[in-house]
Amino acid sequence: QQKVQQSPESLIVPEGGMASLNCTSSDRNVDYFWWYRQHSGKSPKMLMSIFSNGEKEEGRFTVHLNKASLHTSLHIRDSQPSDSALYLCAARGGGFASALTFGSGTKVIVLP
Amino acid sequence: EAAVTQSPRNKVAVTGGKVTLSCNQTNNHNNMYWYRQDTGHGLRLIHYSYGAGSTEKGDIPDGYKASRPSQENFSLILELATPSQTSVYFCASGGTGENTGQLYFGEGSKLTVL
């Protein structure tokens, strides 16, 4: 069974600071990664996806992927209180027919 | 935006009772999923479906059944509910190919089994 490990479990960041979240899969068949954000009491919503080695930036959010080590990271710069949420990493292994496996998440708290 | 609707949103059931959680999507997505979310476990996949008439076991299927009678509807059935099934359940729909990972979630169903 595929495992997706996220670290840290929780993170406190000052407003305007940088938050860095990590995610690693133990399944060598994993091909794609996604990051989801879940505000308290709400449903998860997709934030970013990354399929190729390297870096992808969307606004204040940057995602890195190293396929050789099956490691992805999410970086939030200029963090805002509205970024306070649970961030979930998801991976897919075994091709298009496979369902996503989620990690247990990183809880980010941005203090004003 | 894609729409996924779950019902009921809150349910209190007794141990040994039958519970049915329903999900409807208007996205015309082939794939639908049922996850449960508990503190410290993220989202865990229970059952999923590739289309009407199909159901597949996820990572934690024991104690659950699923039914996909149509493209739009996907149900999760607990025949004999137990307190360990107290959780928040999320239904999601998603596309195929590279869009497999872009899931649209419903608002969740909070189930309490006494």
Side-chain angles (χ1 to χ4, degrees), chain B:
Chain B
E1 184 171 299
V4 179
T5 305
Q6 294 182 228
S7 64
R9 295 290 311 280
N10 286 282
K11 172 76 176 178
V12 178
V14 296
T15 297
K18 182 177 181 178
V19 176
T20 299
L21 303 179
S22 300
C23 179
N24 176 274
Q25 55 109 352
T26 58
N27 313 317
N28 198 32
H29 284 155
N30 288 333
N31 298 343
M32 295 187 74
Y33 309 84
W34 276 106
Y35 288 90
R36 65 178 280 178
Q37 186 172 38
D38 306 285
T39 303
H41 288 282
L43 292 165
R44 291 184 289 174
L45 181 65
I46 306 170
H47 284 287
Y48 58 106
S49 168
Y50 295 127
S54 91
T55 60
E56 305 288 337
K57 291 181 179 180
D59 297 325
I60 54 164
D62 292 347
Y64 303 93
K65 291 184 180 178
S67 174
R68 182 88 182 268
S70 64
Q71 178 82 338
E72 298 79 19
N73 296 295
F74 190 37
S75 297
L76 185 68
I77 303 148
L78 291 68
E79 295 277 6
L80 295 170
T82 67
S84 64
Q85 293 174 314
T86 293
S87 187
V88 178
Y89 292 84
F90 286 100
C91 175
S93 74
T96 55
E98 285 194 358
N99 294 322
T100 304
Q102 185 165 358
L103 303 185
Y104 296 88
F105 286 86
E107 291 304 307
S109 295
K110 183 177 181 180
L111 173 65
T112 303
V113 182
L114 302 175

Side-chain angles (χ1 to χ4, degrees), chain A residues 32 34 36 38 43-44 92 97 100, chain B residues 35 37 50 97 100-101 103 106:
Chain A
Y32 291 172
W34 288 263
Y36 281 74
Q38 184 179 22
S43 59
R92 187 188 70 189
L100 294 190
Chain B
Y35 288 90
Q37 186 172 38
Y50 295 127
T100 304
L103 303 185

